[in-house]
Amino acid sequence: MRGLQARLRQVAWLSATPTGTYGPATTEAVRGFQGKRGLPRTGTTDTVTWQRLLEMTHEPTRDELYASGGQPAAAPDPRCMTGRVLCISKTSRTVSWMVNGKRLMTTDVRFGSQYTPTREGVFHVYWKSRHHVSTIYHTPMPYAMFFSGGQAVHYSSDFAARGYSGASHGCVNVRDEGKIASLFAQVRNGDKVVIYW
């Protein structure tokens, strides 16, 4: 389903990001695609419609399939398998809270841009600040858990509003305020942070 939706986006018939649900927006996009090509406007993806769409598009990338997030978490890095760890995958754009190799929570994250990249490697939470405001960018960083210089895992209202169309200044942004609040309550200073591809 996400593949169909991503391909419809490639040919500008669907503006919404893939959800994996064949709802009214997808039905309408398929009807439009069919009508433009002289096919019966059924709104269902029959073999002829699918073949025509395949001819006009490329295999969707992972980012196209999960443009709004919701990717399954990547396999944990081996460094995440012992102790208390914020296990952060740049491949799946997720953070998993893991304790002794057991995944307790996972949520979507976004990272810095190519000009302000998020560091990779093994770090430790060295400071937590519930109501933090950046002294450099003067923007709120609620539930900040600092792990490397000024980089922290924190809630981002911008990520919540704009999704992956934006980027952080190097921090690991979380858009689910409930989940970051829960993480903030559980994570302690000294807990490990692993950021990997």
Side-chain angles (χ1 to χ4, degrees):
M1 183 59 55
R2 284 181 184 271
L4 166 67
Q5 292 169 327
R7 287 176 188 272
L8 286 167
R9 278 177 57 89
Q10 290 174 17
V11 292
W13 277 104
L14 184 66
S15 59
T17 56
T19 61
T21 302
Y22 205 113
T26 303
T27 301
E28 218 27 62
V30 170
R31 273 194 195 111
F33 178 83
Q34 289 168 327
K36 177 86 173 181
R37 276 135 200 98
L39 303 172
R41 294 174 45 96
T42 63
T44 59
T45 308
D46 57 22
T47 304
V48 174
T49 301
W50 180 243
Q51 287 304 317
R52 186 71 58 90
L53 188 58
L54 287 177
E55 292 167 7
M56 298 178 66
T57 57
H58 63 267
E59 184 70 30
T61 66
R62 189 174 181 97
D63 284 348
E64 287 176 315
L65 292 172
Y66 296 97
S68 291
Q71 296 184 67
D77 185 280
R79 299 168 291 182
C80 296
M81 300 309 290
T82 57
R84 300 163 54 85
V85 189
L86 285 170
C87 191
I88 302 169
S89 167
K90 285 189 169 183
T91 302
S92 65
R93 298 188 291 190
T94 56
V95 57
S96 293
W97 172 233
M98 299 187 65
V99 177
N100 296 324
K102 183 177 179 188
R103 195 185 309 258
L104 303 179
M105 176 192 305
T106 299
T107 192
D108 296 334
V109 294
R110 77 174 180 187
F111 303 100
S113 70
Q114 66 179 11
Y115 305 106
T116 56
T118 303
R119 296 176 191 102
E120 296 154 21
V122 178
F123 310 93
H124 292 87
V125 174
Y126 67 87
W127 181 43
K128 293 172 58 181
S129 178
R130 165 64 182 88
H131 301 286
H132 195 78
V133 176
S134 168
T135 56
I136 298 171
Y137 302 106
H138 310 289
T139 56
M141 297 170 58
Y143 306 104
M145 295 173 278
F146 288 89
F147 59 86
S148 178
Q151 293 191 359
V153 177
H154 67 84
Y155 173 71
S156 168
S157 58
D158 181 72
F159 183 27
R162 297 192 315 138
Y164 291 102
S165 62
S168 76
H169 292 103
C171 288
V172 178
N173 289 166
V174 176
R175 65 173 156 198
D176 186 318
E177 192 168 6
K179 286 189 175 180
I180 189 67
S182 177
L183 276 175
F184 188 84
Q186 295 175 64
V187 172
R188 305 175 193 148
N189 285 344
D191 285 349
K192 193 166 29 172
V193 178
V194 176
I195 303 176
Y196 65 101
W197 280 101

